[in-house]
Amino acid sequence: MAHAAPPSALEQGGPIRVEHDRQRRQFSVRLNGPLESTSQLFVSPAPGCHDRAVLLYEYVGKRIVDLQHTEVPDAYRGRGIAKHLAKAALDFVVEEDLKAHLTCWYIQKYVKENPLPQYLERLQP
């Protein structure tokens, strides 16, 4: 008899945990499956697998990051997941004392809706 995987925090309506993988230069939210230890970085699923929402970034200078793209699978859109990714990425920029270029339209929208001084002072034109 097969056992169903335990529901994720998202499926249970629990807190959304954003993970940061510096090597892959991305923030992510696990969308299904059991929760992992908070100290464990995720291993990216195979291409085409959509069990994570991601925000991709790239260093474009020594202290400048380009927040390039946010992607949430269709089935999970409209639940505020991209907002959590945007906040985590911008908090990372602040904590690491970086500057940010915002290529991603969603991050641009997030900053416009949340014009916190600590975010605004770190934006690159």
Side-chain angles (χ1 to χ4, degrees), residues 36-55:
E36 302 163 344
S37 159
T38 56
S39 64
Q40 181 181 9
L41 289 175
F42 76 95
V43 176
S44 185
C49 183
H50 300 290
D51 67 345
R52 290 194 182 271
V54 297
L55 185 153

Side-chain angles (χ1 to χ4, degrees), residues 6-10 12 15 17 30 32-37 40:
S8 68
L10 182 64
Q12 294 175 4
R17 187 178 75 237
R30 185 174 182 169
N32 57 31
L35 294 175
E36 302 163 344
S37 159
Q40 181 181 9

Side-chain angles (χ1 to χ4, degrees), residues 14 17 23-24 27 39 50-52 64 73 76 80 86 88 106 112:
R17 187 178 75 237
Q23 185 176 7
R24 287 188 171 87
F27 291 86
S39 64
H50 300 290
D51 67 345
R52 290 194 182 271
I64 303 169
Y76 293 93
Y106 183 83
K112 187 178 272 188

Side-chain angles (χ1 to χ4, degrees), residues 77-95:
R77 290 188 181 164
R79 299 185 189 189
I81 296 168
K83 176 176 67 174
H84 288 277
L85 292 168
K87 181 181 182 327
L90 290 164
D91 288 348
F92 163 71
V93 168
V94 171
E95 291 163 10

Side-chain angles (χ1 to χ4, degrees), residues 5 13 15 19 21 28 33 38 58 60 70 74 103 112 117 125:
E19 298 169 343
D21 184 333
S28 72
T38 56
E58 188 71 45
V60 294
T70 304
D74 289 343
T103 298
K112 187 178 272 188

